[in-house]
Amino acid sequence: MHNLVLRFVVCVLVSVAVLWQLWFAPVAIAADLENGARLFGANCAACHAGGSNRVVAAKNLRKPALEQYGMYSLDAISYQVRNGKNAMPKFKKLSDDQIADVASYVLSQADSNWGKS
């Protein structure tokens, strides 16, 4: 009987944890994109406003270019922001969470063509 009650309690706790994640995950994602937009504006927009690239025009942040240059992933964008490359400096002052927020924002904007139709 004791094992049965224990199993029931564990199942309830696991169910609550899963439901909690499903219920609140969209809020966390929205907050990350909002933070990513703010960080992008403060750190990236000087060269990449609207998804452009003022230094090397072809290597912009639009989806076709990101795909062409193997940059259409959170990992690839995060790596580039963290380490820099060529004319792009590394952003040492940003934490890993902030870099992930910026990368998520860039991908979301690329998917929406940076708000253009």
Side-chain angles (χ1 to χ4, degrees), residues 28-103:
I29 291 169
D32 291 347
L33 290 178
E34 197 172 290
N35 190 43
R38 183 184 62 75
L39 291 165
F40 183 90
N43 296 281
C44 312
C47 294
H48 294 291
S52 66
N53 184 328
R54 295 177 195 254
V55 179
V56 182
K59 292 188 175 182
N60 57 61
L61 302 179
R62 292 184 183 88
K63 189 174 181 177
L66 292 174
E67 290 174 331
Q68 178 181 350
Y69 295 106
M71 296 298 295
Y72 188 70
S73 73
L74 290 174
D75 288 339
I77 295 169
S78 295
Y79 183 87
Q80 182 91 4
V81 172
R82 186 175 297 108
N83 298 294
K85 185 176 181 184
N86 300 325
M88 183 172 161
K90 53 178 111 173
F91 287 86
K92 295 184 269 186
K93 67 181 183 177
L94 297 179
S95 70
D96 288 344
D97 287 343
Q98 290 173 318
I99 290 172
D101 291 350
V102 170

Side-chain angles (χ1 to χ4, degrees), residues 4-26:
L4 185 60
V5 171
L6 185 60
R7 286 182 185 174
F8 176 76
V9 169
V10 169
C11 286
V12 168
L13 291 174
V14 169
S15 298
V16 167
V18 168
L19 290 173
W20 182 271
Q21 288 290 4
L22 291 173
W23 183 264
F24 289 105

